[in-house]
Amino acid sequence: MTKTKIATKGLDWSYAPAPESADHFQLKGQYGLFIGGKFFPASSGKRFPTINPATEKILAHVAEAGAKDVDQAVRAARVAYEKVWRKMPGRERGKYLYRIARILQERARELAVVESMDGGKPIRESRDVDIPLAAAHFFYHAGWADKLGYAFPGKMVQPLGVVGQIIPWNFPLLMVAWKVAPALACGNTVVLKPAETTPLTALLFAEICQEAGLPDGVFNCITGAGATGAALVNHAGLDKVAFTGSTDVGKAIQKSLAGRSTKLTLELGGKAANIIFEDAAIDQAVEGIINGIFFNQGHVCCAGSRLLVQESVEKEVVAKLKARMAHLIVGDPLDKNTDIGAINSKGQRDRIRDYLKFGQEEGAELFQTSCSIPQKGYFIRPSFFTKVAQSHRIVQEEIFGPVLAIQSFRTLDEALEKANNTPYGLSGGVWTDKGAKIFKVTRGIKAGVIWANTFNKFDPSSPFGGYKESGYGREGGRHGLRAYLECL
Amino acid sequence: MSSSLAVSTKLNLQAHPVDEVGIRERVARLATRSIKKASKVEGLKLALSMVDLTTLEGADTPGKVRQLCTKAIHLHSGRKDLPMVAAVCVYPTMVRIARETLQGTPIQVAAVATAFPSGMNPLAVKLADTRYAVGEGAHEIDMVISRGDFLRGEYQRVADEISQVKEACGKAHLKVILETGELGTLDRVRLASDLAMQAGADFIKTSTGKIQPAATPEVVLVMLQAIDDYYRKTGKRIGMKPAGGIANAKAALNLLIMVREILGPAWLTPDLFRIGASKLPNDMLMQLEKERTGVYQGLDYFSND
């Protein structure tokens, strides 16, 4: 009874390229500033290119707003606020938000592709996470527009006025939604400044506002870099500033608003601890590490960038993490099989490389996968450090890239101490099969969002925001409405 | 049913908690892999070479088994580039006919035994069933575990039974069917996988095909992770066989993606991965014909066996 071998060795079967097509829409060569419902060039005539970080090719030129343009945008927002938006009944405002939400869904494919081209994130994420969540935020807040009187029992609510909003490059359209949807639902008007490396989906969003018939001036979009943002923050006509971005810029904004009656909410950096206990479902925890640090190339303020793993399972977790990372596909963001796309900009790529150097210089041990990466464009292989100490820069500072710092712990108290020993307090994660331990850990970590047995989950109804140097104010849910309302 | 234990397994069952939410998310992410063009053709051919072409009906006739065996050799008329399937899977009384029909081919003959599909018979009967199938010429035995004993927590008894059947198999390969549709939770699927591997299974297999749900991606993922852990601990490669409810070519390709990303390419061989199916090959053939000609052909162009 001999068994004839059919094949003796496994087949190295691999995936052929599966690129999402980008020929179903046409980007314009240049985009203006969206002020009072129309597009204008910058008054200075200045413009700057936005490039595809995966190919280093220019996608379009975008107007660079100066102080004069900023002033016009704020005035347009003020007029719209006084004449139209604040007077409009909530149920009417809600209709516009519903309309925007539906157009976001209708144009989802185009928006996803542009998001991936402009920002470098894999199409799998822009298609399955960014765009659907952006639409969900508009649907959610559209529902609130005519129910604000019930949001805070015993309180009368009214809008704040004109809101200046500055958003980062890691989730360009999703951050538009997080900022704009609650502001408009609550009856405010908006001047938005998207990040200079990723302005395109915000400008497409401006087109969507036109398509939805949103009254002129309710939403204004001015593009530019730091100087444009500073001009916006310093404009005396704002009732509120909402900022998401780095802690350094957040502190500068806080200084420039000191002594003014302008309200402020900040959503800043993070250095989240992802804590894995020995009784966790290890394979799912490893997947959680992957989602925690390699989602969106690690350009996530709430990324699980510090892994704290109980010493009895450290070896197993690290071995499995390596095996899992070997299957991460780094490359063309438009390929449907890509797990990790391009680093958002050359500057960010260089910053991450610096941290890879710091880590090694300070004595930590670097592991990177051996996957191939494209010649052109800004790419970094998924990486982690072991033999890491609490005092290392890679543990203390936010890297904002696909770089994980792994530390071990023995007791729950030690894990909590390490988790909290950071100037940040945005998010955290805990992995254990024991319910009681989940509650003990989540109560012990000072952070705005803590995930148990999962990571990087977002929902419009769930508030998001930080403690300590991760900022203040909440976005999403009833808590998020509060940031855009005066409660009397 | 107290046959003396000639062989016994020293079980070392450790807790490996499984998080169902996490498993579902991993399954969903694996399913986003997009398999196109050359890798689709290569994947479908690979999957066909891993099929255990199965007929397990009370109404099976020698004629039907012969027809199935012919299909196993010649999957589709006019195409010389297709592999043969890995094995034909039948009831013990059909083994001889299958062996005769498959004479001279590398296709294995697998027989279900041990009071398939319920396993509700004494061990002595199960061992006799196994010995009979092996005596008829089966290269592989697909046994079922005693789910009742397992669910009652009598793990040692279940393990010993597997060891005994393994001994009765002689040189025949042993696939142990967990019948995951009757186990209830993924934690139990994991425990049963660990138990079966420690007791001497060459393959672990999801289902009989007689109970739903059968080879769900969630169950397959948990079993693959158990195989991975067993390999890390012992260096022994255990095979995997999902069977039952694998609806179409896409589902089959998804299985290959899971094997590739959980266990690695070393498992992408019929020696270590099988797909139990009866209707599935025709959908894969239809996809292959579509890749070749650019158009889908009607079902009438594919033989029903």
Side-chain angles (χ1 to χ4, degrees), chain A residues 1 3 5 7 10-11 13-16 18 124 279 281 283-284 287 291 320 323-324 327 337 339 433 457, chain B residues 17 19 23 25-26 29 32-35 39 42-43 108 138 225 229 232 257 260-261 265 268-269 271:
Chain A
M1 196 179 311
K3 182 172 154 61
K5 292 274 177 193
L11 184 71
W13 179 56
S14 59
Y15 311 144
R124 183 179 62 80
D279 56 16
D283 287 301
Q284 285 82 72
E287 197 57 23
N291 288 332
K320 287 190 167 183
R324 174 68 183 91
H327 290 290
N337 287 324
D339 295 303
D433 210 33
K457 285 281 169 302
Chain B
D19 186 277
I23 290 289
E25 278 181 14
R26 182 83 177 101
R29 175 151 182 189
T32 63
R33 291 289 192 214
S34 179
I35 304 302
S39 54
E42 195 184 20
Q108 307 290 294
Q225 284 171 340
D229 281 337
R232 284 168 191 275
I257 292 166
R260 181 180 181 273
E261 300 210 13
L268 285 179
T269 152
D271 282 359

Side-chain angles (χ1 to χ4, degrees), chain B residues 189-206:
Chain B
V189 170
R190 170 68 198 227
L191 188 64
S193 303
D194 291 347
L195 183 155
M197 289 187 289
Q198 287 179 25
D202 295 305
F203 267 68
I204 51 177
K205 175 176 168 184
T206 59

